[in-house]
Amino acid sequence: MDTQTIVSMLNTALRAATPITLGALCGIFSERSGVVNIGIEGMMLMSAFTGFMTNVYTSGAGWADFPRFTASILVAVLTGALSGALHAVLSVRFKVDQIISGTVINILALGMTGYFYVQGAITAGRLPQIAIPLLSDIPILGPVLFRNGPILYTTLILVVAVHILLFHTVWGLRTRAIGEHPRAADTLGINVHRMQFINVITGGAIAGLAGAFLTLEAVGNFERGMTTGRGFIALALMIFGKWTPFGAFGAALLYGFAVALQNQLQFWGVTIPHQFIGMIPYILTLIVLAGFVGRARPPAHVGRPYEVE
Amino acid sequence: MEREIVLEAKGITKRFPGVLANDNVNLTLYKGEILALLGENGAGKSTLMNIIYGLYHRDAGTIILKGREVNFASPREAIHNGIGMVHQHFQLIPVMTVAENVMLGSEVTRGYGLLDVEKAAKQVRELSRQYGLEVDPDALVEDLPVGIQQRVEIIKALYRKADILILDEPTAVLTPQEVRELFKIMRDLASQGVSIIFITHKLKEVLEVADRIVVMRNGHVVGETSPQESTESSLAAMMVGREVLLRVHKEPAKPGEVVLEVSGLTAYDDRGSKAIDGVSFKVRAGEVLGIAGVQGNGQTELVETLTGLRKPHNGRVTVKGKDLTGASPRKVTRAGTAHVPEDRQKYGMVAAYTVADNLVLNTYYAPPFSSSGMVNHKAIEEHARRLVKEFDIRTPSIFTSGGSLSGGNQQKMVVAREFGRKIDLLIAAQPTRGLDVGSIEFIHQRIIEERDAGVAVLLVSAELDEIMSLSDRIAVMYKGQIVATVDASKVTREQLGLLMAGVTEGVLEPEVTAVI
Ligand SMILES: Nc1ncnc2c1ncn2[C@@H]1O[C@H](COP(=O)(O)OP(=O)(O)OP(=O)(O)O)[C@@H](O)[C@H]1O
Ligand SMILES: [Mg+2]
């Protein structure tokens, strides 16, 4: 394999890992605070759609690039946050079963985006790649890491930021505490439900960013059901990553690498039915992670509503 | 001089489904005093304290704090107003370190919301040195034995510098030395003006440390007295409403064949260090072998290894000649062993299950409770009704969730389940933890009855009194080893105390030593 191929594979891996990583970060926020979130898929899909439509309208109105992209990303993130708020209201405030609440979001997302989707909408283009001066000239690493879009860069920063937030701040300590033993946190004056609300909504906003990545940075277009299960993969990789940002990112990279491998095999014209090649990312991820990562222990109180008194 | 009132609860009423937990309760707390709150299991002590702490909401009544009427919506406000509470059931997060648990909610930061774990650990270390409560700030709570977890809870309250301190049964799992230390801390704090409400079932402690005593029964305050004008038996009578035997009557044991035989048993604790180190002993049918020792010397791990909760590293365990080394808990149960675990909430019950279901946790799969994979609810309910009556478990119904019972009644539920069937071996760790005097009398009698019926009893307890009055022989554990086995009728408290501290040279006259 030449350098060119390696660079392109690694870059594909990183890009494939980006929405998954964001989805997993959404899951981490939610589950660390004790709320199961299987609605990541729906949150991503809705945000991908609203972000895209904002891009379509602002393009039509002739906005300049910067305000156009800012507005589109903002709308996507806001959509994610709103769907997070819906999940929080249902599962924390009204104590609807958290799985059902998440499923509601997934179904809602499929239905709404399907209904409002119009074919043939055009935009003035997607987010530009930004080459970081100097760094992007490093051989191999430069083109892989430092010639990417803004949401990908943001994701890398977020992985570190969420790690610090979760394990080195007051906020993180309290979040982990309510996911493990809400009663104990309550006796120390921590408002369990309020913390859960804020965490689930923040997670939703990050899922919104994942949606924005799909339609504004990676593809530049919207298709029905275009998240194709990424939200669920994110959830699985979050578990494999033991509910930690670095763990989830590592798992997502592995998945991304398998995607790159799959593309490359197809490109080389390997004569296996493409459905089988399409399975590679999932199977490889499963084998590696199930085989090499030990048993993960979820937050002890995840999935159960906390009843005051 | 008129004493200053810091806290006044008036007409507090609290109803739970099926129970009136507090019925028009009045309580006054003066500045700098130690007020002991006594009462039977289920009398409503914890409920009242939780209301004062803002964790429960009262149905009626007023609370006046330092002259101002307050209405706490949550513990946060209580904490802000200087109220601290050590809860009857530990409120600790197992997967976090001691330091993290201590600072949670009142964190030490280096600004910008960033935690300063080192500084927190340092503060914990200072507190533990200052008050003689030894604990490693970096240890994970889940690795600690209950006695040390209790210390963590006390440190948590001290760290928050409350001027009203509620201690709900803090001594239930402490050793005598630790209790003495705690009393010293309480007296120090009181002399600095801190007001303390102290709940306990140990009447000796009340007489030793309290300035004033309030007794509750059935949701009411039934009386007030002082240590000067009361004795253990007068307090017991006031609590229970009848005379209570404070010592068990028992005939000398008639030991039969060996039931439990342990030889060369070695096991590691969760952190990988040797917790029990070549332990050997025998327990015969019809005798009680007590295991004495300061908490954390391997008793917990010994019981866990014998009951299938921990894998042994070396050695052999047989019950009635059957090899049960490393057997699963189910196998151990089936071999006729009953186990009263030291941590009832973790290993003894399922809080969300009903009382009825909790009472068959060890036998639900066998007839009459199940046949061909189907559960027989009628049999389970009959069984539950019988045990609730026999063991006087105070619960609104057998369908109430186990977790909503008062602490002592949860304990009775666990004991009832374990004693409620035919057994050959009873392994009981802190069997009367958190029980009122009346219930202790009852459980002690039951243990002796079991013994006299030919059951071999292994009793582990941090209560020296309990060990001395129930045991026929006593084995003393120190650093994972049995350092001496003595005849319970001949040994003295002082000798046991020395042995527990690891001093063996010249402590015992030869006739005190019992054969294994
Ligand atoms: N959260 C709850 N839900 C329902 N009932 C409860 C709850 N907490 C307490 N109760 C009931 O209220 C009554 C008083 O319980 P409480 O825990 O105050 O007793 P206590 O005096 O602390 O007893 P103990 O000495 O056994 O701890 C009991 O009948 C108990 O079953
Ligand atoms: Mg209580």
Side-chain angles (χ1 to χ4, degrees):
Chain A
M1 253 192 293
D2 53 36
T3 326
Q4 188 78 46
T5 317
I6 292 175
V7 165
S8 115
M9 272 181 76
L10 289 178
N11 198 256
T12 309
L14 191 59
R15 287 178 195 192
T18 298
I20 306 290
T21 306
L22 290 169
L25 290 179
C26 164
I28 288 172
F29 267 97
S30 185
E31 301 219 341
R32 281 288 187 166
S33 72
V35 182
V36 169
N37 191 347
I38 65 160
I40 302 173
E41 174 84 3
M43 295 179 177
M44 276 191 194
L45 187 63
M46 272 196 270
S47 318
F49 178 73
T50 58
F52 174 71
M53 290 314 286
T54 311
N55 194 8
V56 170
Y57 286 122
T58 49
S59 298
W63 289 27
D65 277 358
F66 188 74
R68 174 164 65 91
F69 288 131
T70 313
S72 306
I73 293 176
L74 229 59
V75 168
V77 168
L78 215 68
T79 308
L82 277 176
S83 57
L86 177 64
H87 187 41
V89 169
L90 288 177
S91 63
V92 178
R93 171 74 182 75
F94 292 109
K95 305 202 166 48
V96 172
D97 184 287
Q98 295 170 7
I99 300 289
I100 292 181
S101 167
T103 307
V104 164
I105 288 172
N106 288 334
I107 294 174
L108 201 69
L110 263 182
M112 296 243 286
T113 57
Y115 180 78
F116 288 111
Y117 173 62
V118 273
Q119 222 145 17
I122 46 164
T123 70
R126 53 185 171 148
L127 283 162
Q129 305 290 307
I130 301 163
I132 298 186
L134 296 179
L135 289 178
S136 58
D137 297 331
I138 305 171
I140 303 185
L141 222 54
V144 171
L145 277 180
F146 300 110
R147 278 178 209 166
N148 284 303
I151 299 182
L152 192 149
Y153 291 132
T154 310
T155 305
L156 298 180
I157 296 168
L158 272 177
V159 169
V160 180
V162 175
H163 172 83
I164 293 173
L165 187 71
L166 202 54
F167 296 106
H168 298 283
T169 67
V170 171
W171 181 268
L173 185 72
R174 293 181 178 186
T175 298
R176 286 182 288 133
I178 61 175
E180 290 290 339
H181 195 337
R183 176 62 180 242
D186 193 4
T187 63
L188 296 172
I190 294 166
N191 188 332
V192 176
H193 290 159
R194 185 170 148 260
M195 289 288 292
Q196 288 180 327
F197 249 88
I198 300 177
N199 274 299
V200 173
I201 292 173
T202 311
I206 294 179
L209 200 59
F213 176 83
L214 292 177
T215 47
L216 299 174
E217 189 163 309
V219 185
N221 225 323
F222 184 84
E223 290 151 39
R224 283 201 175 93
M226 73 181 296
T227 40
T228 57
R230 283 185 181 85
F232 294 108
I233 295 172
L235 202 63
L237 296 186
M238 169 199 74
I239 295 170
F240 284 134
K242 299 186 172 176
W243 287 264
T244 64
F246 287 133
F249 182 52
L253 277 182
L254 183 75
Y255 163 84
F257 187 74
V259 170
L261 189 69
Q262 165 211 344
N263 288 350
Q264 201 60 38
L265 287 177
Q266 265 163 358
F267 179 75
W268 283 333
V270 175
T271 54
I272 313 171
H274 72 93
Q275 286 90 342
F276 282 98
I277 298 183
M279 289 181 204
I280 290 178
Y282 307 98
I283 294 175
L284 186 70
T285 312
L286 207 70
I287 292 175
V288 171
L289 293 173
F292 294 95
V293 180
R295 211 180 76 86
R297 184 159 71 166
H301 207 268
V302 75
R304 284 178 286 158
Y306 175 62
E307 310 266 6
V308 183
E309 200 157 305
Chain B
M1 195 185 82
E2 191 58 5
R3 280 192 302 167
E4 185 186 336
I5 295 177
V6 285
L7 180 80
E8 210 176 352
K10 284 187 197 163
I12 303 292
T13 298
K14 174 75 187 175
R15 188 182 291 281
F16 287 115
V19 249
L20 195 53
N22 280 175
D23 184 5
N24 199 9
V25 173
N26 297 314
L27 189 78
T28 308
L29 181 68
Y30 295 98
K31 190 174 168 67
E33 76 164 342
I34 299 177
L35 170 68
L37 189 56
L38 283 182
E40 282 183 291
N41 295 129
K45 306 177 297 290
S46 299
T47 303
L48 181 62
M49 294 303 113
N50 280 323
I51 287 172
I52 292 173
Y53 192 62
L55 204 55
Y56 287 175
H57 301 284
R58 57 189 184 270
D59 298 331
T62 46
I63 294 176
I64 296 163
L65 181 71
K66 295 160 200 159
R68 200 165 51 83
E69 187 174 333
V70 291
N71 219 334
F72 298 145
S74 79
R76 186 207 327 267
E77 294 167 44
I79 294 169
H80 275 306
N81 282 284
I83 302 181
M85 179 159 172
V86 169
H87 298 263
Q88 181 173 7
H89 293 118
F90 300 149
Q91 300 297 333
L92 297 170
I93 293 150
V95 298
M96 291 189 179
T97 66
V98 170
E100 285 175 322
N101 268 286
V102 170
M103 70 168 159
L104 183 63
S106 321
E107 294 84 353
V108 188
T109 68
R110 37 177 134 239
Y112 309 106
L114 283 172
L115 294 173
D116 193 339
V117 180
E118 279 92 69
K119 199 161 153 204
K122 214 175 114 222
Q123 292 188 2
V124 171
R125 224 169 272 128
E126 270 162 25
L127 280 172
S128 86
R129 194 164 334 112
Q130 186 183 345
Y131 292 107
L133 294 161
E134 198 186 315
V135 53
D136 170 12
D138 302 317
L140 285 182
V141 164
E142 63 185 346
D143 295 338
L144 301 176
V146 284
I148 307 206
Q149 293 189 15
Q150 183 69 69
R151 290 184 212 163
V152 179
E153 281 287 14
I154 295 168
I155 290 178
K156 260 169 75 178
L158 295 172
Y159 171 86
R160 284 173 177 72
K161 298 196 173 52
D163 53 18
I164 294 178
L165 195 56
I166 300 169
L167 303 171
D168 195 351
E169 298 193 31
T171 57
V173 295
L174 293 185
T175 61
Q177 288 91 317
E178 288 172 325
V179 171
R180 224 168 300 135
E181 288 293 336
L182 179 65
F183 286 175
K184 215 170 89 232
I185 297 170
M186 285 165 60
R187 284 199 204 94
D188 277 358
L189 291 173
S191 68
Q192 290 161 28
V194 175
S195 314
I196 299 173
I197 303 180
F198 172 55
I199 299 178
T200 183
H201 288 293
K202 301 177 189 174
L203 306 175
K204 258 199 198 89
E205 297 180 349
V206 174
L207 294 176
E208 186 181 337
V209 80
D211 298 314
R212 206 156 57 86
I213 302 168
V214 168
V215 180
M216 285 182 76
R217 195 191 317 149
N218 252 331
H220 299 271
V221 168
V222 292
E224 189 190 320
T225 175
S226 71
Q228 290 75 30
E229 52 192 340
S230 30
T231 62
E232 278 188 59
S233 35
S234 75
L235 287 178
M238 210 167 156
M239 271 172 69
V240 185
R242 64 174 168 88
E243 289 298 319
V244 180
L245 284 176
L246 292 171
R247 280 196 85 80
V248 251
H249 285 296
K250 65 175 213 259
E251 304 296 319
K254 300 185 193 72
E257 48 162 335
V258 172
V259 174
L260 171 67
E261 179 162 6
V262 176
S263 47
L265 197 65
T266 301
Y268 290 84
D269 65 16
D270 294 331
R271 284 194 280 173
S273 42
K274 214 176 237 180
I276 46 179
D277 188 2
V279 165
S280 303
F281 60 86
K282 288 177 191 159
V283 190
R284 293 173 182 277
E287 72 159 346
V288 179
L289 175 67
I291 303 268
V294 176
Q295 285 268 338
N297 276 285
Q299 304 95 312
T300 305
E301 287 81 5
L302 174 63
V303 169
E304 286 177 356
T305 313
L306 294 179
T307 52
L309 294 171
R310 180 176 297 275
K311 289 272 164 262
H313 177 68
N314 235 327
R316 222 170 108 84
V317 178
T318 60
V319 174
K320 288 190 126 178
K322 202 167 145 199
D323 189 352
L324 285 181
T325 317
S328 67
R330 168 72 62 95
K331 264 213 174 116
V332 173
T333 311
R334 285 204 143 161
T337 304
H339 172 212
V340 178
E342 67 169 11
D343 188 339
R344 58 172 170 255
Q345 293 212 321
K346 195 161 161 201
Y347 292 117
M349 57 184 275
V350 180
Y353 281 12
T354 62
V355 170
D357 288 345
N358 268 298
L359 286 170
V360 291
L361 282 184
N362 54 349
T363 42
Y364 67 89
Y365 55 84
F369 308 122
S370 292
S371 56
S372 27
M374 300 291 280
V375 169
N376 180 353
H377 289 288
K378 227 175 113 222
I380 292 179
E381 286 163 25
E382 265 165 33
H383 172 78
R385 286 206 180 86
R386 183 171 63 76
L387 289 182
V388 162
K389 189 144 167 274
E390 187 180 337
F391 286 82
D392 188 28
I393 304 169
R394 309 271 170 96
T395 172
S397 94
I398 58 167
F399 304 112
T400 304
S401 69
S404 74
L405 298 193
S406 82
N409 282 298
Q410 292 177 6
Q411 183 72 17
K412 286 197 244 174
M413 180 173 76
V414 174
V415 170
R417 178 185 65 227
E418 296 302 319
F419 286 31
R421 67 184 181 118
K422 178 107 193 55
I423 51 173
D424 294 317
L425 172 64
L426 167 63
I427 299 177
Q430 330 289 356
T432 56
R433 177 179 172 193
L435 292 188
D436 64 43
V437 279
S439 310
I440 292 176
E441 172 194 30
F442 175 73
I443 302 277
H444 281 177
Q445 272 168 4
R446 286 299 303 240
I447 290 179
I448 295 303
E449 276 168 31
E450 296 285 336
R451 180 199 79 165
D452 293 344
V455 172
V457 181
L458 181 70
L459 170 75
V460 178
S461 176
E463 282 303 304
L464 219 43
D465 286 333
E466 179 164 271
I467 289 275
M468 292 187 69
S469 66
L470 289 182
S471 309
D472 301 307
R473 290 184 300 131
I474 300 172
V476 181
M477 270 188 98
Y478 179 73
K479 294 208 167 148
Q481 295 181 327
I482 291 186
V483 292
T485 306
V486 298
D487 186 330
S489 60
K490 296 191 181 125
V491 75
T492 63
R493 270 185 89 86
E494 289 62 39
Q495 287 171 329
L496 276 181
L498 284 171
L499 290 169
M500 282 163 64
V503 182
T504 47
E505 290 292 303
V507 172
L508 298 176
E509 312 87 61
E511 69 270 17
V512 177
T513 312
V515 277
I516 299 177

